[in-house]
Amino acid sequence: MSADTSTRPDSLDDGALSPGEPSPPDQPAPPGPDDHAAHPDDANVAKILIGLVGIVGILWGLGNLFLALAYHPEWFADSKILIGAVALVAGVGGAYFLFFFLNMFVEGLPGGLSRGLMPYVFILPSFSLIALMLLYPTIQTINYSFANSDSTKYVGLKNYRYIFGNSEFRQALINNVLWLLIVPAVTVFVGLIVAVLADKLSTSGEKVSKSFVFLPMAISFVGASAIWSLVYAFDPASEDATGLLNAVWRAFGGGPQSWLQNYDFRLNSFLLMVILVWLQVGFAMILLSSAIKGVPEETVEAARIDGASEFQIFTKVVVPQIRGTIITVFVTTLILVLKVFDIVYVLTDGRDKTQVIANLFFTELFRNSQGGRASAIVVVLLLAVTPVLIYQVRNFRREELSR
Amino acid sequence: MSNLTDAAALTTQKPRRTRGLMADGRQRSLTAIIVMAVLCVLWTLPTVGLLVTSLRSRDAQAQTGWWTALWNGGWTMENYRGVFNGTSIGDSFLNSVIVAIPATIIPIMFAAFAAYAFSFMNFKGKDILFILIVIVMVVPIQVAFQPMLNLLGPNGLGISGEYIGVWLLHTGFGMPLAIYTLRNYMSTLPRTVIESAKIDGASHFQTFWKLIVPMSVPALAAFAILQFLWVWNDLLIAKLFLTTQNSTVIVSLQGLLGAQGQGTEYLPAGAFISMLIPMIVFFTLQRYFVRGLTAGAVKG
């Protein structure tokens, strides 16, 4: 995108607006796209004033209204629905008029300043929110990780020494690595199989079968945990099996198993991973399927004429062409897995060697009230995502250049 | 005229069905059919199990597997009545709606303007700022909990436990993905349209509302679905930043999952109720979702 805009020929704008003054061709591109009637060269004081008053008024009004919703629900008849409706209307309307007045204010400024400022004004509100809710907390959390449990005194590296000396933390690290090694790979693999096979079905068959695999995408982690807690349910040998897995297991002659407590070969962790794979395959399939449909038919046809088997066509022709999408799906799942929390929290809460980093963080922060240790754990999590992050940025830059 | 074209279509379009060929002439693949059928059953069975279990009495649930319900019986609607009378799920259902709708729509307003700037305007630092978006998309939201609890809590603004805190947090956390998705889509829109609006003297604000927003509907809808599912299904933020009086259906369900003994028969019904709205939203708007996600977002 950006590369594209800076090299775009500017003949269109300038030619149309100022035919009398041809710009020298060797000059860097002038800010042509913004050079239109909305930016006269003189300041428009009325616009500036109305804009400013509007901005301040909207911010003040919105801030107070939203605080009133929280502090004085009785003003809204204590009705949750009314509060929700007011917030929706005020939020959307407020955002509209905020941008309206911001736009008016900037348009009132003299030409050059107006053009230069406009883009920043458009991104300012969203970046303020990102700064407040993601950047500031990140710095603050790093800061807290060197402080004591209620963040009142710095304690140096004590928190880090504690967590790395803690066997449960090491356990969680090992488990997270296991999750990372298994879940993204399996998700991509199954997603790929579904995408390829669905492509070979009739149109209606494809639609229906995809919907079945889609379905879990709409289900929450907690809902999925409820569903799978039934599958993994345990009953003593004296009773009938009510859990599906035990029923199958017993049918093959096994004894009743308490699956989620069985940590031989990390069985319980693997069973938790199954839940995440079950949830994620639909997403993988959507992206992979559309990528597969984008593979030019000629390349497949050519390989077929050369006598390649279907399997060879898939691995040698299709996969290389959808490599980018495969990586996207893999990385997206990877990021999700790093932060995996709900499933473990709800089903085992880290018992029986199923602990993961995000759940340990929750335990330290809210059950043990150890703010410092919890922050140190999040910093470790941040460090763990850093390689992914660097990869994402590099990948993004490469894609931008090729656009 | 119409008769003529119909007849032409009939003769050219439909060669006689041959065995082993599909309507569009491709070879029917038995392997694909069998494997997909098995996968579909595997993928659906757990959910079917939940649905059937939710319709069985407490004793039936405890004594026999749900797959025996056809001959063992034990069917009842009692659990659904119980969920609304005996648990907090009924109340929290309303809370979920109130939390999710503003938290879905408000971020789109802010993000769309930013995405417009990133797609159609030139400015210094544009690349760096967009890379910042790519970076914060990866940052785990766990970093925000302690600082935001301090900021919104009793020692700060004192709005922790109210809807507004949750709306604010979801708006902030959803912002990077919103900007990213919308910008990817908007940058595929034809630039000539923007150029001609400019020549007509339209301001950026007008161009945005009159041209870009209507053209970006698939991406806006795709993000809205994603954000709605995320907010509705979220456990952590709702659990930490709401109280028991206004907690969401997911938090109530989690409470039910942890409970032992009395009331466990309501769990499947409660879980099913919690899944209903997101499923309806997802399946009615699926079309947009796929289109918005795959357009511009992924390159083969």
Side-chain angles (χ1 to χ4, degrees), chain A residues 297-307:
Chain A
E297 193 60 32
E298 307 93 73
T299 55
V300 176
E301 227 26 74
R304 200 165 279 149
I305 289 166
D306 290 346

Side-chain angles (χ1 to χ4, degrees), chain A residues 271-349:
Chain A
L271 292 174
L272 295 178
M273 292 178 205
V274 167
I275 304 175
L276 191 56
V277 171
W278 180 74
L279 283 168
Q280 272 308 103
V281 163
F283 168 76
M285 179 203 67
I286 294 181
L287 295 192
L288 292 169
S289 176
S290 84
I292 287 174
K293 289 190 190 306
V295 171
E297 193 60 32
E298 307 93 73
T299 55
V300 176
E301 227 26 74
R304 200 165 279 149
I305 289 166
D306 290 346
S309 70
E310 286 297 312
F311 183 73
Q312 281 174 322
I313 291 175
F314 178 69
T315 52
K316 301 255 168 68
V317 179
V318 176
V319 168
Q321 294 192 65
I322 60 168
R323 206 175 135 258
T325 309
I326 293 179
I327 293 174
T328 305
V329 172
F330 188 87
V331 171
T332 312
T333 316
L334 198 76
I335 296 168
L336 186 80
V337 169
L338 267 169
K339 302 183 256 185
V340 66
F341 165 75
D342 304 32
I343 296 173
V344 176
Y345 174 68
V346 168
L347 284 179
T348 67
D349 199 11

Side-chain angles (χ1 to χ4, degrees), chain A residues 1-2 5 8 12-13 33-34 36 38 66-67 70-71 80-81 84 87-88 91-92 95-96 99-100 103 107 118-120 122-123 125-127 129-130 132-135 137-138 140-141 144 151 190 194 197 199-202 209 211-220 222-223 226-228 230 240-244 247 278 281 286-287 290 321 324-325 335 339 341-342 345-346 358 361-362 365-366 371 375 378 381-382 385 389 392-393 396-397 400 402-403, chain B residues 22 26 32-33 35-36 39-40 43-47 50 61-65 67 94-95 98 101-102 105-106 109-110 113-114 116-119 121-124 127 129-133 135-136 138 140 142-151 157-159 162-164 167-169 171-173 175-176 179 183-184 187 191 195 198-199 202-205 209 233 235-236 239-240 245 250 253-254 257 271 275 278-279 282-283 286 289-290 294 296 298-300:
Chain A
M1 241 334 284
S2 52
T5 47
R8 186 163 33 83
L12 206 156
D13 322 277
D34 302 318
H36 51 64
F66 273 91
L67 285 180
Y71 295 151
K80 288 176 177 178
I81 299 177
L88 180 62
V92 173
Y96 178 88
F99 279 106
F100 178 81
N103 182 68
E107 273 184 359
M118 194 63 95
Y120 298 105
F122 272 29
I123 63 173
S126 50
F127 270 74
L129 283 168
I130 290 176
L132 172 69
M133 259 161 300
L134 286 161
L135 299 182
T138 306
Q140 189 67 294
T141 295
Y144 285 160
S151 317
V190 179
V194 175
L197 293 181
D199 198 42
K200 294 191 187 305
L201 298 179
S202 63
S209 59
S211 296
F212 279 113
V213 183
F214 259 0
L215 186 91
M217 270 193 82
I219 297 175
S220 62
V222 179
I227 289 173
W228 285 83
L230 295 178
D240 281 351
T242 57
L244 192 58
W278 180 74
V281 163
I286 294 181
L287 295 192
S290 84
Q321 294 192 65
T325 309
I335 296 168
K339 302 183 256 185
F341 165 75
D342 304 32
Y345 174 68
V346 168
F361 157 79
F362 189 87
L365 186 55
F366 299 103
S375 298
V378 181
L381 200 56
L382 264 177
V385 298
L389 193 146
Q392 289 286 77
V393 169
F396 168 73
R397 300 198 91 140
E400 288 306 287
S402 69
R403 249 174 211 263
Chain B
M22 289 184 285
R26 284 178 301 154
I33 294 173
V35 176
M36 280 307 285
L39 275 173
C40 286
W43 241 253
T44 324
L45 214 55
T47 317
L50 181 86
Q61 282 184 26
Q63 283 159 9
T64 53
W67 53 92
L94 178 64
N95 291 324
I98 295 171
I101 294 177
I105 296 173
I106 295 174
M109 289 289 292
F110 291 104
F113 275 98
Y116 176 88
F118 279 118
S119 308
M121 292 164 136
N122 278 330
F123 53 98
K124 248 206 184 117
D127 282 357
L129 286 173
F130 200 77
I131 284 173
L132 188 71
I133 299 282
I135 290 174
V136 290
V138 184
Q142 274 89 351
V143 298
F145 291 154
Q146 211 188 346
M148 290 315 278
L149 276 171
N150 289 344
L151 194 67
L157 284 171
I159 53 171
E162 302 289 343
Y163 296 126
I164 171 175
W167 290 326
L168 195 67
L169 288 167
T171 303
F173 295 152
M175 200 61 72
I179 297 176
R183 181 266 190 189
N184 272 342
S187 57
R191 296 188 68 88
E195 305 292 345
K198 211 166 298 151
I199 292 164
S203 73
H204 280 297
F205 189 73
W209 280 109
N233 289 339
L235 171 69
L236 263 174
K239 192 175 170 65
L240 298 180
Q245 277 84 46
I250 298 297
L253 182 64
Q254 180 255 321
L257 256 164
M275 287 155 36
M279 278 197 188
F282 188 70
F283 277 99
Q286 203 192 81
F289 184 69
V290 176
T294 49
V298 197
K299 314 212 304 172

